[in-house]
Amino acid sequence: MENLQGKCLCGKTVLTVSQITHDLTVCHCSMCRKQAAGPMFYTERVPDDQIHFNQRQTVGLYPSSKEIERGFCNQCGTFLFFRNTKHQMTAINPELFDEQISVLNFEKEIYYDDKPDYYIFANKTVKRP
Ligand SMILES: [Zn+2]
Ligand SMILES: [Zn+2]
C-alpha cells in the first residue's frame, strides 16, 4: 500500500504514510490493553521519516517506557502510534485508515503470555510470548 492517509476520530489529526505492508500485529501486553480497552492492533513498523502529519499541535505524546512513546490525538483521544525513539520506527493504529483496512492481514500476536483468558482470536497467527 502506498501513500495511505489516516485520521483520528475527530479528524483533526491526519497522517500520511508513504509505504506500508498489509501485515498486522496484535499486542496483548498490559500497557497496550489498558490504553486500548483490549488487545491493541498495530501496522508493521515503518521508519519515522515515512510518516507525515498535517500538523503536530494535536499530537499528544506519552513516554510509556524507556525509548518508547505512544502518540494520541489530544482532541479526541484516539490512539495514533507506538514509536521506538531509539530506532526511529513507528507502528500505527490501522483503524486510522478507515475503509482500506479490509485488505489487511492479521498475522502475528505478541506478548501472548500476558493475554487474559476472557478473549481469544480465531485467526491463524504466529504467537510470541
Ligand atoms: Zn482527534
Ligand atoms: Zn503492548
Side-chain angles (χ1 to χ4, degrees):
M1 294 189 283
E2 287 178 22
N3 280 319
L4 270 191
Q5 193 174 77
K7 60 181 191 307
C8 65
L9 187 58
C10 76
K12 292 198 174 93
T13 308
V14 180
L15 66 80
T16 307
V17 58
S18 48
Q19 209 154 27
I20 199 162
T21 72
H22 292 190
D23 299 329
L24 295 188
T25 296
V26 144
C27 184
H28 299 289
C29 86
S30 61
M31 285 192 286
C32 286
R33 284 187 286 110
K34 187 155 288 213
Q35 188 173 25
M40 181 88 93
F41 282 85
Y42 291 106
T43 65
E44 196 160 271
R45 296 187 304 160
V46 295
D48 288 349
D49 61 12
Q50 289 190 19
I51 304 173
H52 301 282
F53 290 86
N54 62 329
Q55 39 89 6
R56 282 279 182 174
Q57 281 175 307
T58 56
V59 180
L61 293 174
Y62 174 63
S64 59
S65 44
K66 192 169 178 274
E67 295 167 0
I68 297 298
E69 60 187 21
R70 293 165 184 265
F72 56 94
C73 175
N74 63 22
Q75 301 293 294
C76 67
T78 299
F79 170 73
L80 300 171
F81 60 82
F82 178 96
R83 176 170 180 254
N84 184 307
T85 57
K86 185 182 175 194
H87 296 112
Q88 302 186 347
M89 297 287 284
T90 295
I92 304 167
N93 169 5
E95 292 292 337
L96 303 180
F97 301 117
D98 296 320
E99 65 274 0
Q100 292 109 322
I101 61 172
S102 62
V103 302
L104 294 173
N105 172 38
F106 172 30
E107 58 132 34
K108 199 193 307 176
E109 299 182 63
I110 60 173
Y111 285 88
Y112 197 79
D113 289 354
D114 293 2
K115 185 184 80 58
D117 291 334
Y118 76 84
Y119 67 80
I120 188 162
F121 290 111
N123 304 61
K124 294 238 182 305
T125 55
V126 174
K127 295 171 179 62
R128 303 261 161 82

